[in-house]
Amino acid sequence: MSMDRNELHELVDALPDDQLPAAGDELRRRLRKPALDRPWPPEWFGAIDNPDVPKDLAQNVDKYLAAEGFGSYRS
């Protein structure tokens, strides 16, 4: 079903007044972004700046994963 804004306006205009608050709540719920109760940025931001992390990690990720045995068959 396709709907344009004009049709949505017409539907809202046709709603009885007692149903408007519930319709408004539903539309607001769809627009809101969930509230973050955590500080931003997360603690792990900047982790790659750690001196123990190789500076070429992003460019050579496969090399470092292979060195740790990632992707190898183990019985």
Side-chain angles (χ1 to χ4, degrees):
M1 175 182 199
S2 176
M3 176 182 286
D4 65 8
R5 289 181 181 271
N6 290 331
E7 184 180 358
L8 184 57
H9 284 283
E10 290 171 12
L11 291 171
V12 170
D13 290 341
L15 278 176
D17 287 345
D18 64 325
Q19 292 183 16
L20 288 175
D25 290 343
E26 176 62 23
L27 290 171
R28 280 187 214 94
R29 183 186 64 78
R30 290 173 176 257
L31 292 173
R32 281 193 198 133
K33 293 181 180 177
L36 296 176
D37 57 351
R38 298 179 302 268
W40 189 259
E43 291 181 23
W44 55 266
F45 266 42
I48 200 152
D49 293 333
N50 186 320
D52 296 334
V53 175
K55 296 296 180 194
D56 64 340
L57 180 63
Q59 291 83 13
N60 296 302
V61 66
D62 292 328
K63 176 180 91 173
Y64 289 106
L65 289 174
E68 296 297 321
F70 182 81
S72 63
Y73 178 76
R74 296 181 185 197
S75 54

